[in-house]
Amino acid sequence: MKVLLTHTPQSRRQYYGERALAALRELAEVRLNERDAALDPPALIAAAADVDVIIADRLAAAPAEVFRALPSLKAFLRVAVDIRNIDVAAASAAGVLVTRANPGFMTAVAELALGFLVDLSRGISRASADYHAGRAPQVRMGRELAGATAGIIGYGAIGHHLAPMLTGLGMRVLVTDPHVRLAPGPLEQVALDDLLARSDYVICLAVAAAETENLIDARALAHMRREACFINLSRGNLVDEAALMRALREERIAGAAMDVGRATDQMPSPDLAMLPNVIATPHIGGLTPQAIQAQALDTVRQLDAIRRGEAPEGAVNPEAWARRPRLSA
């Protein structure tokens, strides 16, 4: 079986790793992308001309023409959870299996959320930047997290990891998610507007989908209190960035922290990231050895199942998989 791994050399080191690559090579003949740039659809088609499986980084988009142009392709595996730039309908029409990796980054992202909370409350990065620039930092009153209220928008895998961390710090935790019904316990499930109005820290963890596009818009931000902060660890698509910028510039909310945005590769948008009341990191929420290894090794397990003609956990269209391989020897 022939496999194309689309990661550039740098992203392969950071987002796949030698252990997973070695395991992959035990299962298949592996072709690597040695370009410094991500593969656009024409380059992806050329690189995958005769392969059976593509294992793709999150920048490797797969529109319909990719599946039409690759008659040997049996499966397209994404080393991430987000598959919005894969045309799953076109893959299904071509009989190609599409999979996503498991969310092995929950702990890493939850811990980054804690870092954002502390930094927003105590001004750590702001004071450090002043010292690094040779300026005397302004001494400002901080806030304690204990006794404060955190509102989690979207109670999925990351929210499940984060919530007990927050209650362990002595925070009240509100949750809003129309797809989840919480059992009685320390968390309080509320409507979105109620969460926005009551939270000291609003933490966006909702899934990016058509119904959550610009979920945090001018109306939502108007519900937040002036001393509240907004944190986005989901996707930039959930936020109306123009509205958020106005709210921050006019100090209608106290601050924001973001690991994602609408720039390339879901990076924070530079115009937002440069504001003095914003903390921004370059989409590193899941960039830890443990998180990356978990997702990379998940694609190795998926490939092993595919070689046996089995739809692995993480398959999104198994019912359409017409190009199922014969059993490997």
Side-chain angles (χ1 to χ4, degrees):
M1 181 168 279
K2 296 179 181 179
V3 173
L4 170 67
L5 186 65
T6 69
H7 300 60
T8 65
Q10 180 178 350
S11 68
R12 193 162 62 241
R13 289 189 296 271
Q14 289 186 315
Y15 291 98
Y16 206 77
E18 289 301 322
R19 179 182 171 189
L21 180 57
L24 201 63
R25 283 176 162 150
E26 292 180 2
L27 299 178
E29 176 186 331
V30 180
R31 183 178 303 168
L32 301 177
N33 170 26
E34 298 296 355
R35 299 177 7 151
D36 291 331
L39 296 176
D40 60 15
L44 179 60
I45 290 169
D50 61 344
V51 305
D52 301 289
V53 176
I54 294 172
I55 299 180
D57 66 288
R58 63 195 184 206
L59 285 177
E65 58 262 32
V66 168
F67 300 105
R68 291 196 294 262
L70 297 174
S72 298
L73 187 65
K74 298 172 178 61
F76 192 102
L77 282 54
R78 170 54 49 81
V79 195
V81 173
D82 191 351
I83 58 170
R84 287 176 299 151
N85 63 355
I86 302 172
D87 190 331
V88 177
S92 296
V96 177
L97 182 71
V98 175
T99 76
R100 52 163 45 106
N102 64 38
F105 46 72
M106 298 90 68
T107 299
V109 177
E111 290 178 355
L112 182 58
L114 292 182
F116 280 161
L117 286 166
V118 174
D119 200 349
L120 286 167
S121 302
R122 305 307 296 269
I124 297 169
S125 58
R126 181 180 63 245
S128 294
D130 285 337
Y131 276 123
H132 293 161
R135 299 186 298 264
Q138 183 179 357
V139 178
R140 301 184 183 184
M141 184 69 70
R143 292 194 288 178
E144 293 185 3
L145 296 178
T149 299
I152 297 177
I153 302 175
Y155 195 60
I158 300 170
H160 277 80
H161 272 68
L162 179 60
M165 295 180 180
L166 302 182
T167 57
L169 290 171
M171 301 185 76
R172 292 182 294 273
V173 179
L174 311 179
V175 171
T176 188
D177 191 324
H179 307 293
V180 171
R181 179 58 55 195
L182 294 184
L187 311 183
E188 182 181 353
Q189 188 163 14
V190 297
L192 175 60
D193 287 353
D194 191 17
L195 180 145
L196 293 168
R198 294 170 55 191
S199 296
D200 298 297
Y201 304 91
V202 174
I203 305 169
C204 188
L205 299 174
V207 174
E211 60 269 25
T212 58
E213 184 78 16
N214 288 325
L215 178 69
I216 305 302
D217 56 9
R219 177 187 171 280
L221 291 164
H223 278 80
M224 292 179 61
R225 294 182 288 113
R226 187 175 293 273
E227 62 272 21
C229 294
F230 174 72
I231 297 172
N232 190 11
L233 286 159
S234 177
R235 287 291 184 265
N237 308 65
L238 280 78
V239 179
D240 180 339
E241 293 192 339
L244 179 58
M245 184 171 293
R246 286 193 300 271
L248 289 164
R249 283 178 168 167
E250 296 169 7
E251 297 184 348
R252 288 186 279 110
I253 63 173
M258 59 197 69
D259 186 50
V260 292
R262 292 182 181 265
T264 302
D265 195 20
Q266 279 290 321
M267 296 284 185
S269 299
D271 288 347
L272 264 176
M274 69 186 298
L275 294 179
N277 50 353
V278 168
I279 302 162
T281 51
H283 202 170
I284 59 167
L287 191 54
T288 66
Q290 298 93 328
I292 294 308
Q293 182 172 280
Q295 290 200 307
L297 289 176
D298 193 36
T299 63
V300 175
R301 288 188 290 269
Q302 289 178 355
L303 179 65
D304 194 25
I306 288 167
R307 289 171 67 248
R308 300 192 302 269
E310 301 171 2
E313 181 181 356
V316 300
N317 62 340
E319 72 288 343
W321 191 22
R323 296 185 187 175
R324 193 180 297 259
R326 296 178 181 178
L327 290 177
S328 298

